[in-house]
mmCIF file of all heavy atoms in Angstrom:
data_model
loop_
_atom_site.group_PDB
_atom_site.id
_atom_site.type_symbol
_atom_site.label_atom_id
_atom_site.label_comp_id
_atom_site.label_asym_id
_atom_site.label_seq_id
_atom_site.Cartn_x
_atom_site.Cartn_y
_atom_site.Cartn_z
ATOM 1 N N LYS A 1 2.502 2.377 3.176
ATOM 2 C CA LYS A 1 2.876 2.259 4.584
ATOM 3 C C LYS A 1 3.072 3.630 5.222
ATOM 4 O O LYS A 1 2.563 3.895 6.314
ATOM 5 C CB LYS A 1 4.145 1.418 4.704
ATOM 6 C CG LYS A 1 4.552 1.155 6.123
ATOM 7 C CD LYS A 1 5.743 0.225 6.186
ATOM 8 C CE LYS A 1 6.124 -0.036 7.626
ATOM 9 N NZ LYS A 1 7.233 -0.966 7.736
ATOM 10 N N GLN A 2 3.789 4.494 4.535
ATOM 11 C CA GLN A 2 4.096 5.813 5.096
ATOM 12 C C GLN A 2 2.835 6.615 5.403
ATOM 13 O O GLN A 2 2.756 7.297 6.415
ATOM 14 C CB GLN A 2 4.990 6.593 4.141
ATOM 15 C CG GLN A 2 5.376 7.957 4.659
ATOM 16 C CD GLN A 2 6.276 8.710 3.698
ATOM 17 O OE1 GLN A 2 6.719 8.171 2.692
ATOM 18 N NE2 GLN A 2 6.539 9.961 3.986
ATOM 19 N N ARG A 3 1.844 6.537 4.536
ATOM 20 C CA ARG A 3 0.664 7.378 4.709
ATOM 21 C C ARG A 3 -0.503 6.694 5.405
ATOM 22 O O ARG A 3 -1.373 7.365 5.956
ATOM 23 C CB ARG A 3 0.202 7.888 3.344
ATOM 24 C CG ARG A 3 1.183 8.863 2.754
ATOM 25 C CD ARG A 3 0.589 9.593 1.580
ATOM 26 N NE ARG A 3 1.509 10.617 1.125
ATOM 27 C CZ ARG A 3 1.846 10.811 -0.127
ATOM 28 N NH1 ARG A 3 1.329 10.066 -1.074
ATOM 29 N NH2 ARG A 3 2.684 11.761 -0.454
ATOM 30 N N HIS A 4 -0.560 5.365 5.380
ATOM 31 C CA HIS A 4 -1.776 4.701 5.840
ATOM 32 C C HIS A 4 -1.570 3.619 6.896
ATOM 33 O O HIS A 4 -2.544 3.009 7.329
ATOM 34 C CB HIS A 4 -2.518 4.126 4.637
ATOM 35 C CG HIS A 4 -2.776 5.151 3.592
ATOM 36 N ND1 HIS A 4 -2.143 5.144 2.372
ATOM 37 C CD2 HIS A 4 -3.555 6.254 3.606
ATOM 38 C CE1 HIS A 4 -2.532 6.190 1.673
ATOM 39 N NE2 HIS A 4 -3.379 6.890 2.394
ATOM 40 N N GLU A 5 -0.343 3.393 7.324
ATOM 41 C CA GLU A 5 -0.097 2.353 8.320
ATOM 42 C C GLU A 5 -0.877 2.622 9.612
ATOM 43 O O GLU A 5 -1.421 1.693 10.226
ATOM 44 C CB GLU A 5 1.399 2.244 8.610
ATOM 45 C CG GLU A 5 1.746 1.117 9.572
ATOM 46 C CD GLU A 5 3.235 0.953 9.757
ATOM 47 O OE1 GLU A 5 3.967 1.962 9.788
ATOM 48 O OE2 GLU A 5 3.666 -0.202 9.880
ATOM 49 N N ALA A 6 -0.963 3.867 10.006
ATOM 50 C CA ALA A 6 -1.638 4.217 11.261
ATOM 51 C C ALA A 6 -3.137 3.910 11.230
ATOM 52 O O ALA A 6 -3.744 3.696 12.285
ATOM 53 C CB ALA A 6 -1.417 5.690 11.591
ATOM 54 N N ILE A 7 -3.737 3.879 10.042
ATOM 55 C CA ILE A 7 -5.177 3.600 9.945
ATOM 56 C C ILE A 7 -5.451 2.248 9.290
ATOM 57 O O ILE A 7 -6.576 1.971 8.875
ATOM 58 C CB ILE A 7 -5.929 4.736 9.207
ATOM 59 C CG1 ILE A 7 -5.410 4.898 7.775
ATOM 60 C CG2 ILE A 7 -5.863 6.034 9.996
ATOM 61 C CD1 ILE A 7 -6.259 5.819 6.917
ATOM 62 N N TYR A 8 -4.428 1.399 9.231
ATOM 63 C CA TYR A 8 -4.579 0.094 8.569
ATOM 64 C C TYR A 8 -5.741 -0.713 9.155
ATOM 65 O O TYR A 8 -6.535 -1.277 8.408
ATOM 66 C CB TYR A 8 -3.279 -0.707 8.656
ATOM 67 C CG TYR A 8 -3.411 -2.086 8.072
ATOM 68 C CD1 TYR A 8 -3.313 -2.286 6.703
ATOM 69 C CD2 TYR A 8 -3.660 -3.196 8.881
ATOM 70 C CE1 TYR A 8 -3.451 -3.542 6.142
ATOM 71 C CE2 TYR A 8 -3.804 -4.453 8.329
ATOM 72 C CZ TYR A 8 -3.701 -4.625 6.969
ATOM 73 O OH TYR A 8 -3.854 -5.871 6.420
ATOM 74 N N GLU A 9 -5.846 -0.770 10.471
ATOM 75 C CA GLU A 9 -6.921 -1.563 11.087
ATOM 76 C C GLU A 9 -8.294 -1.037 10.689
ATOM 77 O O GLU A 9 -9.203 -1.808 10.419
ATOM 78 C CB GLU A 9 -6.763 -1.587 12.602
ATOM 79 C CG GLU A 9 -5.607 -2.467 13.044
ATOM 80 C CD GLU A 9 -5.532 -2.618 14.548
ATOM 81 O OE1 GLU A 9 -6.587 -2.556 15.218
ATOM 82 O OE2 GLU A 9 -4.410 -2.807 15.046
ATOM 83 N N GLN A 10 -8.435 0.291 10.648
ATOM 84 C CA GLN A 10 -9.716 0.873 10.243
ATOM 85 C C GLN A 10 -10.002 0.568 8.771
ATOM 86 O O GLN A 10 -11.126 0.226 8.413
ATOM 87 C CB GLN A 10 -9.714 2.376 10.486
ATOM 88 C CG GLN A 10 -9.645 2.721 11.965
ATOM 89 C CD GLN A 10 -9.206 4.142 12.180
ATOM 90 O OE1 GLN A 10 -8.118 4.514 11.779
ATOM 91 N NE2 GLN A 10 -10.069 4.928 12.833
ATOM 92 N N LEU A 11 -8.988 0.712 7.927
ATOM 93 C CA LEU A 11 -9.159 0.409 6.512
ATOM 94 C C LEU A 11 -9.528 -1.056 6.315
ATOM 95 O O LEU A 11 -10.422 -1.389 5.523
ATOM 96 C CB LEU A 11 -7.890 0.741 5.729
ATOM 97 C CG LEU A 11 -7.529 2.212 5.600
ATOM 98 C CD1 LEU A 11 -6.129 2.363 5.011
ATOM 99 C CD2 LEU A 11 -8.548 2.953 4.768
ATOM 100 N N SER A 12 -8.873 -1.944 7.048
ATOM 101 C CA SER A 12 -9.132 -3.378 6.928
ATOM 102 C C SER A 12 -10.528 -3.756 7.405
ATOM 103 O O SER A 12 -11.096 -4.742 6.943
ATOM 104 C CB SER A 12 -8.092 -4.170 7.714
ATOM 105 O OG SER A 12 -6.827 -4.030 7.129
ATOM 106 N N ALA A 13 -11.075 -2.985 8.336
ATOM 107 C CA ALA A 13 -12.438 -3.240 8.794
ATOM 108 C C ALA A 13 -13.450 -2.870 7.711
ATOM 109 O O ALA A 13 -14.559 -3.407 7.675
ATOM 110 C CB ALA A 13 -12.722 -2.466 10.078
ATOM 111 N N ILE A 14 -13.070 -1.971 6.831
ATOM 112 C CA ILE A 14 -13.948 -1.528 5.747
ATOM 113 C C ILE A 14 -13.900 -2.498 4.572
ATOM 114 O O ILE A 14 -14.928 -2.855 3.997
ATOM 115 C CB ILE A 14 -13.560 -0.104 5.291
ATOM 116 C CG1 ILE A 14 -13.774 0.883 6.447
ATOM 117 C CG2 ILE A 14 -14.337 0.318 4.051
ATOM 118 C CD1 ILE A 14 -13.146 2.242 6.232
ATOM 119 N N ALA A 15 -12.688 -2.937 4.206
ATOM 120 C CA ALA A 15 -12.494 -3.849 3.075
ATOM 121 C C ALA A 15 -11.078 -4.418 3.167
ATOM 122 O O ALA A 15 -10.213 -3.835 3.845
ATOM 123 C CB ALA A 15 -12.673 -3.107 1.746
ATOM 124 N N PRO A 16 -10.813 -5.526 2.476
ATOM 125 C CA PRO A 16 -9.423 -5.999 2.440
ATOM 126 C C PRO A 16 -8.510 -4.855 2.016
ATOM 127 O O PRO A 16 -8.860 -4.055 1.149
ATOM 128 C CB PRO A 16 -9.451 -7.106 1.386
ATOM 129 C CG PRO A 16 -10.870 -7.566 1.373
ATOM 130 C CD PRO A 16 -11.699 -6.346 1.666
ATOM 131 N N THR A 17 -7.336 -4.772 2.642
ATOM 132 C CA THR A 17 -6.452 -3.627 2.439
ATOM 133 C C THR A 17 -5.041 -4.101 2.123
ATOM 134 O O THR A 17 -4.495 -4.953 2.820
ATOM 135 C CB THR A 17 -6.436 -2.740 3.695
ATOM 136 O OG1 THR A 17 -7.782 -2.291 3.938
ATOM 137 C CG2 THR A 17 -5.528 -1.546 3.535
ATOM 138 N N VAL A 18 -4.479 -3.557 1.064
ATOM 139 C CA VAL A 18 -3.118 -3.859 0.651
ATOM 140 C C VAL A 18 -2.299 -2.585 0.819
ATOM 141 O O VAL A 18 -2.642 -1.543 0.269
ATOM 142 C CB VAL A 18 -3.064 -4.345 -0.815
ATOM 143 C CG1 VAL A 18 -1.634 -4.526 -1.278
ATOM 144 C CG2 VAL A 18 -3.860 -5.627 -0.972
ATOM 145 N N ILE A 19 -1.231 -2.694 1.589
ATOM 146 C CA ILE A 19 -0.356 -1.555 1.860
ATOM 147 C C ILE A 19 1.003 -1.824 1.218
ATOM 148 O O ILE A 19 1.637 -2.833 1.507
ATOM 149 C CB ILE A 19 -0.175 -1.345 3.375
ATOM 150 C CG1 ILE A 19 -1.507 -1.063 4.060
ATOM 151 C CG2 ILE A 19 0.843 -0.257 3.666
ATOM 152 C CD1 ILE A 19 -2.102 0.296 3.791
ATOM 153 N N SER A 20 1.433 -0.910 0.379
ATOM 154 C CA SER A 20 2.756 -1.054 -0.237
ATOM 155 C C SER A 20 3.814 -0.453 0.683
ATOM 156 O O SER A 20 3.542 0.463 1.447
ATOM 157 C CB SER A 20 2.796 -0.361 -1.602
ATOM 158 O OG SER A 20 2.674 1.029 -1.452
ATOM 159 N N GLU A 21 5.012 -0.988 0.587
ATOM 160 C CA GLU A 21 6.136 -0.495 1.381
ATOM 161 C C GLU A 21 6.674 0.814 0.829
ATOM 162 O O GLU A 21 7.189 1.636 1.556
ATOM 163 C CB GLU A 21 7.269 -1.528 1.395
ATOM 164 C CG GLU A 21 6.946 -2.776 2.177
ATOM 165 C CD GLU A 21 6.969 -2.564 3.678
ATOM 166 O OE1 GLU A 21 7.795 -1.762 4.156
ATOM 167 O OE2 GLU A 21 6.146 -3.196 4.361
ATOM 168 N N ARG A 22 6.569 0.987 -0.470
ATOM 169 C CA ARG A 22 7.210 2.118 -1.145
ATOM 170 C C ARG A 22 6.203 3.194 -1.511
ATOM 171 O O ARG A 22 5.140 2.912 -2.027
ATOM 172 C CB ARG A 22 7.885 1.638 -2.422
ATOM 173 C CG ARG A 22 9.045 0.730 -2.162
ATOM 174 C CD ARG A 22 9.509 0.073 -3.464
ATOM 175 N NE ARG A 22 10.704 -0.690 -3.282
ATOM 176 C CZ ARG A 22 10.742 -1.901 -2.745
ATOM 177 N NH1 ARG A 22 9.640 -2.462 -2.315
ATOM 178 N NH2 ARG A 22 11.882 -2.537 -2.631
ATOM 179 N N LEU A 23 6.606 4.421 -1.254
ATOM 180 C CA LEU A 23 5.786 5.564 -1.662
ATOM 181 C C LEU A 23 6.317 6.125 -2.973
ATOM 182 O O LEU A 23 5.576 6.479 -3.865
ATOM 183 C CB LEU A 23 5.805 6.640 -0.578
ATOM 184 C CG LEU A 23 5.008 7.900 -0.850
ATOM 185 C CD1 LEU A 23 3.542 7.560 -1.043
ATOM 186 C CD2 LEU A 23 5.177 8.877 0.287
ATOM 187 N N ARG A 24 7.616 6.168 -3.080
ATOM 188 C CA ARG A 24 8.255 6.697 -4.281
ATOM 189 C C ARG A 24 9.271 5.680 -4.759
ATOM 190 O O ARG A 24 9.568 4.713 -4.089
ATOM 191 C CB ARG A 24 8.972 7.999 -3.967
ATOM 192 C CG ARG A 24 8.042 9.102 -3.572
ATOM 193 C CD ARG A 24 8.825 10.373 -3.244
ATOM 194 N NE ARG A 24 7.936 11.424 -2.817
ATOM 195 C CZ ARG A 24 7.543 11.604 -1.569
ATOM 196 N NH1 ARG A 24 7.970 10.817 -0.617
ATOM 197 N NH2 ARG A 24 6.721 12.585 -1.262
ATOM 198 N N GLY A 25 9.821 5.954 -5.911
ATOM 199 C CA GLY A 25 10.891 5.077 -6.387
ATOM 200 C C GLY A 25 10.393 4.105 -7.431
ATOM 201 O O GLY A 25 9.806 4.507 -8.418
ATOM 202 N N ASP A 26 10.584 2.847 -7.176
ATOM 203 C CA ASP A 26 10.280 1.830 -8.178
ATOM 204 C C ASP A 26 8.782 1.538 -8.225
ATOM 205 O O ASP A 26 8.278 0.642 -7.556
ATOM 206 C CB ASP A 26 11.076 0.560 -7.897
ATOM 207 C CG ASP A 26 11.084 -0.380 -9.075
ATOM 208 O OD1 ASP A 26 10.284 -0.179 -10.018
ATOM 209 O OD2 ASP A 26 11.874 -1.324 -9.072
ATOM 210 N N TRP A 27 8.067 2.283 -9.032
ATOM 211 C CA TRP A 27 6.621 2.154 -9.150
ATOM 212 C C TRP A 27 6.218 0.784 -9.681
ATOM 213 O O TRP A 27 5.094 0.319 -9.462
ATOM 214 C CB TRP A 27 6.054 3.257 -10.043
ATOM 215 C CG TRP A 27 6.634 3.271 -11.426
ATOM 216 C CD1 TRP A 27 7.737 3.948 -11.850
ATOM 217 C CD2 TRP A 27 6.154 2.550 -12.569
ATOM 218 N NE1 TRP A 27 7.975 3.700 -13.174
ATOM 219 C CE2 TRP A 27 7.019 2.838 -13.647
ATOM 220 C CE3 TRP A 27 5.089 1.690 -12.789
ATOM 221 C CZ2 TRP A 27 6.848 2.302 -14.909
ATOM 222 C CZ3 TRP A 27 4.911 1.160 -14.051
ATOM 223 C CH2 TRP A 27 5.780 1.465 -15.089
ATOM 224 N N LYS A 28 7.133 0.117 -10.354
ATOM 225 C CA LYS A 28 6.815 -1.196 -10.915
ATOM 226 C C LYS A 28 6.520 -2.215 -9.813
ATOM 227 O O LYS A 28 5.671 -3.093 -9.994
ATOM 228 C CB LYS A 28 7.958 -1.690 -11.794
ATOM 229 C CG LYS A 28 8.146 -0.871 -13.048
ATOM 230 C CD LYS A 28 9.325 -1.410 -13.831
ATOM 231 C CE LYS A 28 9.599 -0.573 -15.058
ATOM 232 N NZ LYS A 28 10.716 -1.119 -15.829
ATOM 233 N N ILE A 29 7.198 -2.092 -8.689
ATOM 234 C CA ILE A 29 6.952 -3.006 -7.573
ATOM 235 C C ILE A 29 5.533 -2.807 -7.043
ATOM 236 O O ILE A 29 4.811 -3.768 -6.772
ATOM 237 C CB ILE A 29 8.013 -2.818 -6.472
ATOM 238 C CG1 ILE A 29 9.374 -3.276 -6.993
ATOM 239 C CG2 ILE A 29 7.629 -3.562 -5.198
ATOM 240 C CD1 ILE A 29 10.538 -2.951 -6.090
ATOM 241 N N ASN A 30 5.113 -1.553 -6.906
ATOM 242 C CA ASN A 30 3.748 -1.280 -6.443
ATOM 243 C C ASN A 30 2.722 -1.776 -7.454
ATOM 244 O O ASN A 30 1.697 -2.343 -7.074
ATOM 245 C CB ASN A 30 3.552 0.208 -6.183
ATOM 246 C CG ASN A 30 4.261 0.675 -4.934
ATOM 247 O OD1 ASN A 30 4.726 -0.118 -4.132
ATOM 248 N ND2 ASN A 30 4.353 1.973 -4.779
ATOM 249 N N MET A 31 2.982 -1.571 -8.731
ATOM 250 C CA MET A 31 2.039 -2.041 -9.739
ATOM 251 C C MET A 31 1.876 -3.551 -9.668
ATOM 252 O O MET A 31 0.756 -4.069 -9.737
ATOM 253 C CB MET A 31 2.477 -1.621 -11.141
ATOM 254 C CG MET A 31 1.484 -2.060 -12.199
ATOM 255 S SD MET A 31 1.862 -1.354 -13.804
ATOM 256 C CE MET A 31 0.796 -2.322 -14.847
ATOM 257 N N ALA A 32 2.980 -4.267 -9.512
ATOM 258 C CA ALA A 32 2.908 -5.726 -9.399
ATOM 259 C C ALA A 32 2.115 -6.129 -8.154
ATOM 260 O O ALA A 32 1.274 -7.040 -8.207
ATOM 261 C CB ALA A 32 4.310 -6.319 -9.369
ATOM 262 N N LEU A 33 2.346 -5.449 -7.038
ATOM 263 C CA LEU A 33 1.615 -5.733 -5.808
ATOM 264 C C LEU A 33 0.117 -5.509 -6.003
ATOM 265 O O LEU A 33 -0.707 -6.353 -5.642
ATOM 266 C CB LEU A 33 2.140 -4.838 -4.679
ATOM 267 C CG LEU A 33 1.401 -4.923 -3.349
ATOM 268 C CD1 LEU A 33 1.620 -6.280 -2.699
ATOM 269 C CD2 LEU A 33 1.860 -3.804 -2.422
ATOM 270 N N TYR A 34 -0.233 -4.383 -6.591
ATOM 271 C CA TYR A 34 -1.642 -4.047 -6.763
ATOM 272 C C TYR A 34 -2.336 -4.956 -7.779
ATOM 273 O O TYR A 34 -3.481 -5.364 -7.568
ATOM 274 C CB TYR A 34 -1.802 -2.579 -7.168
ATOM 275 C CG TYR A 34 -1.291 -1.590 -6.139
ATOM 276 C CD1 TYR A 34 -0.796 -0.359 -6.514
ATOM 277 C CD2 TYR A 34 -1.293 -1.887 -4.780
ATOM 278 C CE1 TYR A 34 -0.331 0.554 -5.586
ATOM 279 C CE2 TYR A 34 -0.823 -0.985 -3.838
ATOM 280 C CZ TYR A 34 -0.348 0.240 -4.246
ATOM 281 O OH TYR A 34 0.118 1.137 -3.319
ATOM 282 N N THR A 35 -1.664 -5.268 -8.886
ATOM 283 C CA THR A 35 -2.303 -6.153 -9.867
ATOM 284 C C THR A 35 -2.448 -7.564 -9.314
ATOM 285 O O THR A 35 -3.449 -8.231 -9.583
ATOM 286 C CB THR A 35 -1.566 -6.157 -11.220
ATOM 287 O OG1 THR A 35 -0.203 -6.540 -11.034
ATOM 288 C CG2 THR A 35 -1.655 -4.800 -11.897
ATOM 289 N N ASP A 36 -1.497 -8.005 -8.500
ATOM 290 C CA ASP A 36 -1.649 -9.303 -7.830
ATOM 291 C C ASP A 36 -2.840 -9.271 -6.875
ATOM 292 O O ASP A 36 -3.608 -10.227 -6.799
ATOM 293 C CB ASP A 36 -0.384 -9.672 -7.050
ATOM 294 C CG ASP A 36 0.744 -10.178 -7.937
ATOM 295 O OD1 ASP A 36 0.493 -10.503 -9.117
ATOM 296 O OD2 ASP A 36 1.889 -10.247 -7.437
ATOM 297 N N ALA A 37 -3.000 -8.158 -6.160
ATOM 298 C CA ALA A 37 -4.078 -8.036 -5.171
ATOM 299 C C ALA A 37 -5.459 -8.137 -5.804
ATOM 300 O O ALA A 37 -6.393 -8.612 -5.161
ATOM 301 C CB ALA A 37 -3.952 -6.711 -4.412
#
């Protein structure tokens, strides 16, 4: 979200896009999000 929210629409036009809320911290939450995706 921190780095790519501003270009989300452009990214989504290219391919389905999953944006995580967290940049740092609990990497396990991001891993679960990405593996689910």
Side-chain angles (χ1 to χ4, degrees):
K1 184 175 181 178
Q2 181 179 353
R3 292 193 174 133
H4 306 110
E5 184 175 37
I7 61 170
Y8 176 82
E9 287 186 30
Q10 294 162 299
L11 292 170
S12 293
I14 297 167
T17 300
V18 174
I19 299 288
S20 67
E21 291 286 326
R22 293 169 174 78
L23 180 60
R24 295 179 182 87
D26 195 347
W27 58 270
K28 293 178 183 182
I29 293 171
N30 287 348
M31 182 171 168
L33 175 68
Y34 298 150
T35 57
D36 283 346

